[in-house]
Amino acid sequence: MIELDGLEVAHRLAPLSLRWEQPALVALIGPNGSGKSTLLHAAGGVLPARGKVLIESTDLLALDVRAAAHIRAMLPQRLPHLISMPTQEVVRLGLCVHGASESAALPVWQHLMARLELTPLLARDFTLLSGGEQQRVLIAKTMLQIWPTLNPAARLLLLDEPLAGLDWHHQLQVLALLRELVEAGIHVICALHDFNLALGHADALVCLQHGTLVRAGAMTQLDGTLLADVFKVQTRKLQADGLQLYLPIGITL
Ligand SMILES: Nc1ncnc2c1ncn2[C@@H]1O[C@H](COP(=O)(O)OP(=O)(O)OP(=O)(O)O)[C@@H](O)[C@H]1O
């Protein structure tokens, strides 16, 4: 069970309460500036906030950063200040939190390197990789931190637009890894701007507008009315393989 209980950031996020009984892939959507990053940072305990983030009976916000890092991992939207170092050392930072040995981590390491196609990049300087390559490296590092076979305490993964800058192939690779994590018991909250990817892959929806929760629940809540009212876009509904998709065709005023 994961619960955001009255989570609030002064002037940026109105108090919101949400609860999920089972691990799920939650799509966090909202227009630019609606508070998605604010919610993720607050839930991760890296931005001062009121309220609680309950994981079973533990309040994540009452833990110090090191203890919290055993339970949750977070991928921010912007790259941290880049320092010149080999890419493999960046990935390896994901192991520091739980301290799994490299031999214990090897199967997971190999799995992530293969799925994210990072092996040819490992010896290169991280700062010289392309934006999408750097993003895949940081996703691997973040996943190593909370991969359940390496870190059994891990419960929550917070991702701020992890698919931004990735090509379709790598977007789908990342979504497949997120599904693996959900099936292994990790609750994933993922800010996304691509509604069709959300419809195809997420289990549940959270939508913010002006720092306020406007919808939450099943993915069927993501519909043409929401896209018109909150995102100010006119859409055409499409059906593909039983999936409802939306094509943007104009803006609403
Ligand atoms: N450090 C800060 N101090 C004050 N206000 C901030 C700060 N960071 C963000 N904001 C404001 O908080 C609001 C929510 O920003 P946030 O980054 O959470 O939006 P978002 O939904 O993630 O947007 P985007 O889709 O553009 O990434 C915005 O109005 C933003 O200007």
Side-chain angles (χ1 to χ4, degrees), residues 12 31-38 77 161 193:
R12 287 168 60 184
N32 290 142
S34 59
K36 301 179 299 296
S37 300
T38 303
Q77 182 178 12
E161 298 187 35
H193 279 296

Side-chain angles (χ1 to χ4, degrees), residues 115-117 132 136 139 163 166-175:
R115 293 298 287 271
L116 294 168
E117 294 166 42
R136 279 153 48 209
I139 289 169
L163 307 182
L166 298 190
D167 59 56
W168 270 1
H169 174 84
H170 289 107
Q171 288 184 343
L172 294 172
Q173 291 278 31
V174 170
L175 286 162

